[in-house]
Amino acid sequence: MGIDLKVKIGSLELNSPLILASGTCSLETFAFLKPEETGAVVLKTVTLKPRQGNPPPRLAETPAGLLNTIGLQNPGVEKFLEHEIDLYPSSYKLVGSVGGETIDEYVEVAKKLEASNRFAAIELNVSCPNVNKGGIEFGRDEMLLLELVKEVRGAVSLPLWVKLTPNTSNIEKIALETSRAGADALVVTNTFVGMAVDIETQSSRISTLSGGVSGPAIKPLALYLVYRVAKNRNVAVIGGGGIFNFRDALEFLIVGAQAFFVGTAMLVNPLAAKEIISGLKEWLAGHGFHSIKEIVGTFREPS
Amino acid sequence: MGIDLKVKIGSLELNSPLILASGTCSLETFAFLKPEETGAVVLKTVTLKPRQGNPPPRLAETPAGLLNTIGLQNPGVEKFLEHEIDLYPSSYKLVGSVGGETIDEYVEVAKKLEASNRFAAIELNVSCPNVNKGGIEFGRDEMLLLELVKEVRGAVSLPLWVKLTPNTSNIEKIALETSRAGADALVVTNTFVGMAVDIETQSSRISTLSGGVSGPAIKPLALYLVYRVAKNRNVAVIGGGGIFNFRDALEFLIVGAQAFFVGTAMLVNPLAAKEIISGLKEWLAGHGFHSIKEIVGTFREPS
Amino acid sequence: MRSKNKKFCLSKSRVILNQELAQRRFLLRFEAPEIAKKALPGQFIQVKVGGFDPLLPRPFAVSWTENDYIEILVEVRGKGSSLLAKAQEGESFNLLGPLGKGFSLPKGNTKNLVLVAGGIGLAPLRFLAWEASKNGYFITLLYGDKNQSCFLPLKKLLPEKVLVRSIVEEKNGQTGMVTDLLKDVIEEFKDSCFFVCGPKAMLKEVYGQLARKKIVRAQFSFEERMSCGYGACLGCVVLTKKGYKRVCLEGPVFEGEEIIWESI
Amino acid sequence: MRSKNKKFCLSKSRVILNQELAQRRFLLRFEAPEIAKKALPGQFIQVKVGGFDPLLPRPFAVSWTENDYIEILVEVRGKGSSLLAKAQEGESFNLLGPLGKGFSLPKGNTKNLVLVAGGIGLAPLRFLAWEASKNGYFITLLYGDKNQSCFLPLKKLLPEKVLVRSIVEEKNGQTGMVTDLLKDVIEEFKDSCFFVCGPKAMLKEVYGQLARKKIVRAQFSFEERMSCGYGACLGCVVLTKKGYKRVCLEGPVFEGEEIIWESI
Ligand SMILES: Cc1cc2nc3c(=O)[nH]c(=O)nc-3n(C[C@H](O)[C@H](O)[C@H](O)COP(=O)(O)OP(=O)(O)OC[C@H]3O[C@@H](n4cnc5c(N)ncnc54)[C@H](O)[C@@H]3O)c2cc1C
Ligand SMILES: Cc1cc2nc3c(=O)[nH]c(=O)nc-3n(C[C@H](O)[C@H](O)[C@H](O)COP(=O)(O)OP(=O)(O)OC[C@H]3O[C@@H](n4cnc5c(N)ncnc54)[C@H](O)[C@@H]3O)c2cc1C
Ligand SMILES: Cc1cc2nc3c(=O)[nH]c(=O)nc-3n(C[C@H](O)[C@H](O)[C@H](O)COP(=O)(O)O)c2cc1C
Ligand SMILES: Cc1cc2nc3c(=O)[nH]c(=O)nc-3n(C[C@H](O)[C@H](O)[C@H](O)COP(=O)(O)O)c2cc1C
Ligand code: FES
Ligand code: FES
């Protein structure tokens, strides 16, 4: 249909605005994607040391949402690079997601990922609500976050994406400062902290007290945060949270995200990414657009 | 079924833990309630001067949620007391919800409500996301909030409830200080700020940029906030956000709320309150409980 | 207004009939004795479809009643109306109603009524037509619709005595809107009482035409996004000379003179 | 494992048959040629019911296949299974499958199989029984269930040759669980291969009994909360000697020896 899907995130050109979110895709996912329609695939967050993750149950369904407490299960960066990374098809732009408990850990992991030459960008996961240390603390403690971004920025030359936590009251400020500290793109947003109780046992429905809520339920909240962050036109924004169809994706593009990510939708329907792209193309063509870029930031403020 | 529904919120005894939330009931609602099963009815927030409210559209549906931007439409406290308050049946405990743009306005409205002798408690709405001034600013600016609570506390002797905003990152701290400043109960939580875009017109689906999200979608988020606030055992917590059935209500009681409120559910089904109470009674009786109080705070922390 | 004796009620009601009337337009008949007994033309019901998806009930005008039955006309727009259109006969839905303030038939000696319907806006006017014709009024219906395939089967829906003038927007050759029809005939009906339902732009245009001819006896049925439908949320307002009024409680029918039309 | 040729697929599939087998238990047959062609006993499918309510697809064991058809057995527990139980014949659902790693029939000269089913846990074992009996194995089924009214019609579901011993928990007089049955007969079957499916507590008890008798040839089919069902979310894990493994990808069938039973 002749729609130019290409977008630029900082200096990085992507085949499409569609990005597969960290923690919601694995090797099996690629069977349902097309490289020429996929912007990037952010792999599951890796940490310096292996992490076993949290015990089951790790999942609970909430109204139009998914509550998870995976706990960053991963084999550690070394095993990951040794045994796993080569299994991923090279026809896709891969993004390495980094987690950690200290700034040094983040830096070390980021350097190792860069050295593998398999990644198009590094994403800092400073916002995972499901681990005791690290994760969300960085996302909420501004000074720590800025130091983290600066340190990683100094240590690697790949494009640097920072995934923000929604569980804060001043996301604009954090976003602005993070971009000044050297982030090439801000990813908004990670899951919202939530909780679910089994009334029969009076205990958490997941193995931890709280977890992260994703899916359609959070869409209006995430969209508002993306809008606020994207108002600062100096940094690229990758927006998402609850995107399930092309209309949802358009909402995020309209409020100013240059690209969008899809997570939970892929868990519910592995063809979601393909369907979103074909829906986008058809809608844009039907509305006289020629490229994705034309719809980005077209939001009309209420008077 | 012989379940004692009575609960105490500070010194105030209520017939049941079920409270009708502000802004979601009107005179028509009472036809669907029973006084002996209703803890209290919080009336729509009133302000010193009349407020016309926001233009339509004021509502948009989101996945399992409702986005609203009513904008505190109300006739102003004087007209309200002159023409409206007498229409409400006296067999219910009424709570007056106060909004304002300055501390003086809150104080003045609270005093007038108290003087009417029609109210069992005063609720401070410091958390409405849909007005430009006041509202959420108080909820987020800690110092201002504490001053507000202290001033109102000094001016009225009715029990004082403070309704907190969820749109903050340190709700425990705010809760603790608010209770120290003299609140008899904390109401957690008001709506979450959200946004929805009409892709065809590239504009907000409501008349304002953003609005407040209520309903089942926010339940896991609200429950987590209630849990956190209720951990401080020194103040009563009235919990809610997305309660649609008795199971939802139990979740809030289990994590420590002494009472719960129901808002959007009443808009979807005016019999929701009755159904919740009968469901609660049946469940409690079936599980060997004799009173509501026995289930409050029974949450077992994960090990 | 201390309404302890309920004006409206919630009832679980069975679908007795679900019939496709025209493209994407369905007639549903429910067994709902309490609502049927009370409903007046111009009032509406809230139909709850789905659990949390969709979350909110959907408003539909009462389009006809008889004994224990009520009918609504459903145009398929989004999720809620699609699910309703697929309802099986025998399936049950929670209905809340009758809601709102309906049309008032003119008292005194005005016996000529003009109903102006844009598309599915015919739904409440149909009920009015039946009631009014029982009460000896003379009724002219001006009805316009998008195209031939969604055109409603007027013969089937309306009492025989109603005089119909209709128009189709997208027909080859002679085309136009119901407002064009009105323009043609307005002079004839200067002393009639007007009842109007349709999209907002059409209401506004009709009001404009009537106002220019100084016709003031005109009632307009409004649509607005709703949640509760019974006055609790203040969500469904329209701007009137006395401030915002709830479409679900003070409306959906308003006198043309009450409305601030610039806000529409 | 660079799986470009898909091992599983997503297909919109029609319900061909929906039959109530026992109280709150239904048999659904789908027309799903691609899944039917590939599915092996012990594998499962994900069925998407509803839009956002419920949000996640629901996992069900493949319980039988023939030509273009697959069958599942559904026990009504919550929203998803209730909606499935109400599915009309002709209605379509998105099915993803076949998923997971199934049972392995023993190679060599072990020809005796014991299937131990707790309640609806019969579902995957039924498929295994059909496949195994085609391949000349001798099959004994131990089946226990809650009560008489939910007891599954074994004659109808299983190949004739299967020897059945069953028990009902809540029957007056002689009562017990499938694990009691096992206790009675375990000595006879020391050289057999065991296949077990049911609630976690039952799996654990069965493993304990087998382990005490040093029976190691035993495969257990696990249930765990799932979202994707195809390995993407790491949500459905069980603790094994090699750390957490995904029930949906490395399972649902595990050798008894792999599992850290203290974690169950
Ligand atoms: C008092 C009243 C009476 C009504 N009577 C009828 C009737 O008799 N027959 C009939 O077919 N429809 C009637 N409607 C409109 C009907 O309620 C909407 O079409 C329906 O709610 C759409 O629901 P949905 O889930 O199908 O669409 P959604 O997915 O909710 O929305 C699809 C589109 O429908 C439109 N829409 C949705 N809700 C409304 C609304 N409340 N008012 C106006 N437009 C809306 C919007 O353009 C929206 O983009 C009435 C509305 C009101 C307020
Ligand atoms: C690999 C696998 C195969 C399965 N095969 C079958 C089968 O053949 N037949 C069958 O009837 N059921 C089977 N199940 C269980 C079935 O998936 C659940 O009963 C179903 O998802 C419940 O959905 P619901 O919406 O009805 O209940 P919900 O409302 O989601 O939950 C109701 C209750 O069901 C239980 N439950 C829900 N999901 C699961 C789950 N994934 N695992 C275990 N318990 C759960 C819980 O006790 C919960 O409280 C299987 C599960 C797995 C993981
Ligand atoms: C099961 C699951 C696991 C996740 N794991 C990670 C992770 O490892 N790293 C990360 O940055 N985000 C993780 N996320 C968050 C998602 O990448 C995404 O930000 C979030 O789910 C919101 O988007 P969605 O609603 O489209 O899923 C995870 C989400 C889910 C549901
Ligand atoms: C339409 C609407 C209007 C509301 N108006 C008010 C208000 O005037 N004052 C207030 O304190 N809260 C108001 N609220 C918030 C509710 O009282 C409640 O805190 C919130 O909706 C979350 O609960 P729920 O999910 O049960 O609705 C309003 C909510 C809705 C949906
Ligand atoms: S829809 Fe709630 S007041 Fe009209
Ligand atoms: S359900 Fe997602 S990995 Fe198993």
Side-chain angles (χ1 to χ4, degrees):
Chain A
M1 251 167 302
I3 294 290
D4 177 11
L5 288 176
K6 290 206 164 42
V7 297
K8 266 186 131 177
I9 301 298
S11 58
L12 184 67
E13 181 157 285
L14 304 180
N15 286 344
S16 102
L18 184 141
I19 291 170
L20 281 293
S22 179
T24 55
C25 37
S26 64
L27 290 171
E28 290 67 30
T29 310
F30 291 88
F32 294 92
L33 303 176
K34 287 188 194 165
E36 66 277 16
E37 291 185 345
T38 306
V41 180
V42 186
L43 301 188
K44 177 80 188 161
T45 301
V46 289
T47 52
L48 188 60
K49 280 165 246 157
R51 286 183 59 97
Q52 185 178 240
N54 294 328
R58 291 180 172 182
L59 301 171
E61 201 178 38
T62 65
L66 172 61
L67 176 69
N68 90 76
T69 184
I70 309 301
L72 292 189
Q73 175 179 338
N74 80 94
V77 67
E78 277 175 22
K79 272 212 185 133
F80 171 73
L81 290 177
E82 204 173 317
H83 300 300
E84 295 189 9
I85 186 65
D86 287 336
L87 303 172
Y88 288 92
S90 56
S91 44
Y92 292 84
K93 282 212 166 60
L94 303 180
V95 176
S97 169
V98 182
E101 293 176 12
T102 65
I103 292 183
D104 287 348
E105 280 183 26
Y106 274 97
V107 169
E108 210 176 321
V109 177
K111 280 162 94 174
K112 290 201 157 117
L113 293 179
E114 177 166 68
S116 76
N117 279 322
R118 285 300 311 276
F119 294 100
I122 297 288
E123 180 172 296
L124 300 185
N125 177 2
V126 294
S127 49
C128 180
N130 303 329
V131 291
N132 284 328
K133 283 187 208 160
I136 215 164
E137 301 311 316
F138 283 105
R140 283 205 195 137
D141 182 329
E142 268 174 73
M143 297 316 293
L144 210 58
L145 175 63
L146 296 186
E147 207 188 312
L148 171 67
V149 174
K150 278 185 200 147
E151 290 291 327
V152 179
R153 177 68 299 168
V156 300
S157 54
L158 280 174
L160 188 60
W161 300 358
V162 179
K163 188 165 182 182
L164 300 178
T165 172
N167 305 290
T168 167
S169 47
N170 55 352
I171 199 164
E172 277 128 323
K173 189 154 164 272
I174 290 184
L176 190 66
E177 292 181 351
T178 308
S179 74
R180 289 210 186 115
D184 297 288
L186 301 175
V187 183
V188 184
T189 155
N190 213 313
T191 52
F192 286 71
V193 188
M195 173 171 187
V197 169
D198 180 336
I199 58 172
E200 298 300 332
T201 60
Q202 288 99 50
S203 60
S204 176
R205 279 168 59 203
I206 52 180
S207 67
T208 50
L209 174 72
S210 62
V213 180
S214 63
I218 66 167
K219 196 188 71 170
L221 281 54
L223 187 65
Y224 176 63
L225 295 179
V226 169
Y227 164 84
R228 279 170 64 193
V229 171
K231 280 196 96 166
N232 164 21
R233 303 253 162 221
N234 297 321
V235 64
V237 176
I238 299 167
I243 295 178
F244 263 58
N245 56 46
F246 81 89
R247 281 179 219 89
D248 297 334
L250 276 170
E251 290 191 63
F252 282 85
L253 296 171
I254 288 168
V255 302
Q258 274 85 356
F260 60 87
F261 63 84
V262 178
T264 307
M266 289 297 287
L267 306 178
V268 170
N269 168 17
L271 284 175
K274 270 195 189 166
E275 288 169 8
I276 289 170
I277 288 294
S278 64
L280 271 181
K281 279 181 169 173
E282 198 175 315
W283 189 91
L284 289 168
H287 286 69
F289 291 93
H290 303 96
S291 79
I292 280 284
K293 287 172 207 132
E294 291 166 24
I295 192 77
V296 171
T298 53
F299 183 68
R300 294 164 220 248
E301 307 267 338
S303 45
Chain B
M1 254 164 300
I3 293 290
D4 177 13
L5 287 177
K6 290 205 165 40
V7 297
K8 265 185 130 177
I9 300 298
S11 58
L12 184 67
E13 181 157 282
L14 304 180
N15 286 342
S16 101
L18 185 142
I19 291 170
L20 281 294
S22 179
T24 55
C25 36
S26 65
L27 291 171
E28 290 67 29
T29 309
F30 291 87
F32 295 92
L33 303 176
K34 287 187 195 164
E36 66 276 17
E37 291 185 346
T38 305
V41 179
V42 187
L43 301 188
K44 177 80 189 163
T45 301
V46 289
T47 51
L48 188 61
K49 282 166 240 150
R51 287 184 57 98
Q52 184 175 244
N54 293 328
R58 289 179 173 184
L59 302 171
E61 201 178 37
T62 65
L66 171 61
L67 177 69
N68 90 76
T69 184
I70 309 300
L72 292 190
Q73 175 179 336
N74 81 93
V77 66
E78 277 174 20
K79 271 210 187 136
F80 171 74
L81 291 177
E82 204 174 317
H83 301 300
E84 294 189 9
I85 186 65
D86 286 337
L87 302 173
Y88 288 91
S90 55
S91 44
Y92 293 83
K93 283 213 166 60
L94 303 180
V95 176
S97 169
V98 182
E101 292 177 14
T102 64
I103 292 184
D104 288 349
E105 280 182 26
Y106 274 96
V107 169
E108 210 174 322
V109 175
K111 281 162 95 175
K112 291 201 157 118
L113 292 180
E114 178 166 66
S116 76
N117 278 321
R118 284 301 311 278
F119 293 100
I122 297 289
E123 179 172 297
L124 299 184
N125 177 1
V126 295
S127 48
C128 180
N130 302 329
V131 291
N132 283 329
K133 281 187 208 163
I136 215 163
E137 300 311 317
F138 282 104
R140 282 206 196 136
D141 182 329
E142 269 173 73
M143 298 316 293
L144 211 55
L145 175 62
L146 297 186
E147 206 187 315
L148 171 66
V149 175
K150 278 184 200 148
E151 291 289 328
V152 178
R153 177 69 299 168
V156 300
S157 54
L158 280 174
L160 188 60
W161 300 359
V162 179
K163 188 163 181 182
L164 300 177
T165 171
N167 305 290
T168 166
S169 47
N170 54 352
I171 198 164
E172 276 127 326
K173 188 153 165 273
I174 291 184
L176 190 67
E177 293 180 350
T178 308
S179 72
R180 290 209 185 116
D184 297 288
L186 301 174
V187 183
V188 183
T189 154
N190 214 314
T191 51
F192 286 73
V193 188
M195 173 172 186
V197 170
D198 180 337
I199 58 173
E200 298 299 331
T201 60
Q202 288 99 50
S203 60
S204 177
R205 279 168 56 205
I206 51 180
S207 67
T208 51
L209 173 71
S210 62
V213 180
S214 63
I218 66 166
K219 194 189 69 169
L221 280 53
L223 187 65
Y224 177 64
L225 296 178
V226 169
Y227 164 83
R228 281 171 63 194
V229 171
K231 278 198 97 166
N232 164 21
R233 303 253 163 219
N234 297 319
V235 65
V237 176
I238 299 167
I243 295 179
F244 263 57
N245 55 47
F246 81 89
R247 280 178 220 93
D248 298 335
L250 277 170
E251 290 192 63
F252 282 85
L253 296 170
I254 288 168
V255 303
Q258 273 84 356
F260 59 88
F261 63 82
V262 178
T264 307
M266 289 297 287
L267 306 177
V268 170
N269 168 18
L271 285 175
K274 271 195 188 167
E275 288 168 8
I276 289 170
I277 288 294
S278 63
L280 271 181
K281 279 182 172 173
E282 198 176 315
W283 189 92
L284 289 168
H287 286 69
F289 291 93
H290 303 97
S291 78
I292 279 284
K293 287 172 206 135
E294 291 165 25
I295 192 76
V296 170
T298 53
F299 183 68
R300 293 163 219 249
E301 306 267 336
S303 46
Chain C
M1 221 218 270
R2 196 174 307 208
S3 59
K4 254 300 165 182
N5 50 348
K6 296 178 200 175
K7 293 192 201 129
F8 54 92
C9 65
L10 188 73
S11 73
K12 199 167 179 77
S13 302
R14 264 190 324 145
V15 175
I16 299 297
L17 186 83
N18 182 356
Q19 203 175 339
E20 188 161 4
L21 292 180
Q23 201 177 47
R24 302 172 73 75
R25 289 182 177 174
F26 295 78
L27 179 149
L28 269 80
R29 185 182 298 165
F30 292 94
E31 184 172 1
E34 291 181 277
I35 300 177
K37 216 174 346 179
K38 293 184 190 159
L40 300 170
Q43 288 191 302
F44 68 98
I45 59 171
Q46 287 266 75
V47 185
K48 181 68 189 95
V49 235
F52 293 163
D53 178 28
L55 183 69
L56 301 172
R58 300 297 197 244
F60 292 93
V62 178
S63 184
W64 180 86
T65 69
E66 199 173 84
N67 303 325
D68 290 353
Y69 305 107
I70 67 170
E71 287 182 1
I72 61 173
L73 305 184
V74 176
E75 175 172 271
V76 174
R77 292 196 199 164
K79 242 178 208 175
S81 48
S82 309
L83 286 169
L84 259 183
K86 280 183 212 137
Q88 304 282 326
E89 289 163 19
E91 212 176 321
S92 289
F93 293 89
N94 275 333
L95 307 186
L96 187 74
L99 298 163
K101 191 176 73 57
F103 298 109
S104 322
L105 285 172
K107 311 226 159 74
N109 49 18
T110 312
K111 282 287 169 190
N112 284 316
L113 312 185
V114 182
L115 318 189
V116 190
I120 200 73
L122 182 72
L125 297 173
R126 176 187 171 218
F127 190 11
L128 181 69
W130 283 98
E131 284 296 301
S133 80
K134 275 186 215 158
N135 289 293
Y137 291 87
F138 305 106
I139 304 161
T140 304
L141 169 72
L142 310 181
Y143 164 66
D145 222 318
K146 277 244 150 40
N147 54 49
Q148 209 58 48
S149 39
C150 69
F151 201 85
L152 290 163
L154 300 176
K155 281 246 170 61
K156 177 188 159 80
L157 295 175
L158 293 168
E160 239 178 288
K161 287 180 284 181
V162 174
L163 265 169
V164 175
R165 309 209 187 178
S166 69
I167 195 164
V168 165
E169 246 178 78
E170 294 173 6
K171 206 163 84 178
N172 299 337
Q174 180 235 11
T175 65
M177 313 244 264
V178 68
T179 46
D180 298 321
L181 272 187
L182 178 63
K183 226 174 268 165
D184 295 345
V185 302
I186 193 162
E187 288 293 341
E188 297 176 41
F189 292 103
K190 285 185 104 163
D191 299 317
S192 305
C193 203
F194 282 77
F195 298 87
V196 193
C197 186
K200 275 186 193 161
M202 170 234 167
L203 300 188
K204 196 169 174 171
E205 167 66 21
V206 170
Y207 176 77
Q209 288 192 28
L210 297 179
R212 280 191 291 278
K213 299 284 175 188
K214 307 254 180 319
I215 301 172
V216 293
R217 285 189 301 188
Q219 296 169 31
F220 294 80
S221 180
F222 276 78
E223 277 191 16
E224 190 48 62
R225 291 305 170 90
M226 292 189 174
S227 69
C228 67
Y230 62 92
C233 74
L234 302 183
C236 62
V237 295
V238 60
L239 194 58
T240 73
K241 290 177 182 157
K242 294 184 179 161
Y244 284 120
K245 296 252 183 197
R246 288 164 289 190
V247 170
C248 72
L249 196 73
E250 285 98 9
V253 175
F254 293 92
E255 298 280 339
E257 295 302 302
E258 291 178 77
I259 301 297
I260 307 230
W261 288 97
E262 298 76 51
S263 77
I264 303 295
Chain D
M1 222 218 268
R2 195 173 308 207
S3 59
K4 254 300 168 187
N5 49 347
K6 295 178 202 175
K7 294 194 201 127
F8 55 93
C9 66
L10 189 73
S11 74
K12 200 170 178 74
S13 302
R14 266 192 321 146
V15 176
I16 299 298
L17 186 80
N18 182 356
Q19 202 175 338
E20 189 163 3
L21 292 180
Q23 201 178 46
R24 300 173 72 78
R25 291 185 173 169
F26 295 79
L27 179 149
L28 270 81
R29 185 182 299 165
F30 292 95
E31 183 172 1
E34 289 180 278
I35 299 176
K37 216 176 341 176
K38 292 185 193 160
L40 300 171
Q43 289 191 303
F44 69 98
I45 59 171
Q46 288 264 73
V47 185
K48 181 70 189 95
V49 235
F52 292 162
D53 178 26
L55 183 69
L56 301 173
R58 298 297 195 248
F60 291 93
V62 177
S63 183
W64 180 85
T65 70
E66 198 172 87
N67 303 326
D68 288 355
Y69 305 107
I70 67 170
E71 288 182 359
I72 60 173
L73 305 186
V74 176
E75 175 171 271
V76 174
R77 292 196 198 163
K79 242 178 207 174
S81 48
S82 310
L83 287 169
L84 259 183
K86 281 184 213 136
Q88 304 281 326
E89 288 163 18
E91 213 176 316
S92 290
F93 294 89
N94 275 334
L95 306 187
L96 187 73
L99 298 164
K101 190 177 76 55
F103 298 109
S104 322
L105 286 171
K107 310 226 162 75
N109 49 18
T110 311
K111 282 285 168 190
N112 283 317
L113 313 185
V114 182
L115 319 189
V116 189
I120 200 73
L122 182 73
L125 297 173
R126 176 187 172 217
F127 190 11
L128 180 69
W130 282 99
E131 284 297 301
S133 79
K134 275 186 216 156
N135 290 295
Y137 291 86
F138 305 105
I139 305 161
T140 304
L141 170 71
L142 309 182
Y143 163 67
D145 222 318
K146 277 243 150 40
N147 55 49
Q148 209 58 51
S149 40
C150 68
F151 201 85
L152 289 162
L154 300 175
K155 283 245 168 62
K156 179 189 159 81
L157 295 174
L158 294 168
E160 241 177 285
K161 286 180 282 181
V162 175
L163 264 171
V164 174
R165 310 211 187 178
S166 68
I167 195 164
V168 164
E169 247 176 80
E170 294 171 5
K171 207 162 80 180
N172 299 337
Q174 179 236 11
T175 64
M177 312 243 266
V178 69
T179 46
D180 299 319
L181 272 186
L182 177 63
K183 227 174 268 166
D184 295 344
V185 304
I186 194 163
E187 287 293 341
E188 295 177 43
F189 292 105
K190 284 185 101 162
D191 300 317
S192 304
C193 203
F194 283 76
F195 298 87
V196 193
C197 186
K200 275 187 194 159
M202 171 234 166
L203 301 188
K204 197 170 173 172
E205 166 67 19
V206 170
Y207 176 76
Q209 289 191 28
L210 298 178
R212 279 191 292 278
K213 299 284 175 189
K214 308 256 183 315
I215 300 172
V216 294
R217 283 187 302 185
Q219 296 169 34
F220 294 80
S221 180
F222 277 78
E223 278 191 15
E224 190 48 64
R225 292 306 171 87
M226 293 189 172
S227 68
C228 67
Y230 62 92
C233 74
L234 301 184
C236 63
V237 295
V238 60
L239 193 59
T240 73
K241 292 179 181 156
K242 294 186 177 160
Y244 285 120
K245 296 252 182 194
R246 289 165 287 189
V247 170
C248 73
L249 196 73
E250 285 97 9
V253 176
F254 293 92
E255 298 279 341
E257 296 302 304
E258 291 179 78
I259 301 298
I260 308 230
W261 288 97
E262 298 75 52
S263 77
I264 302 298

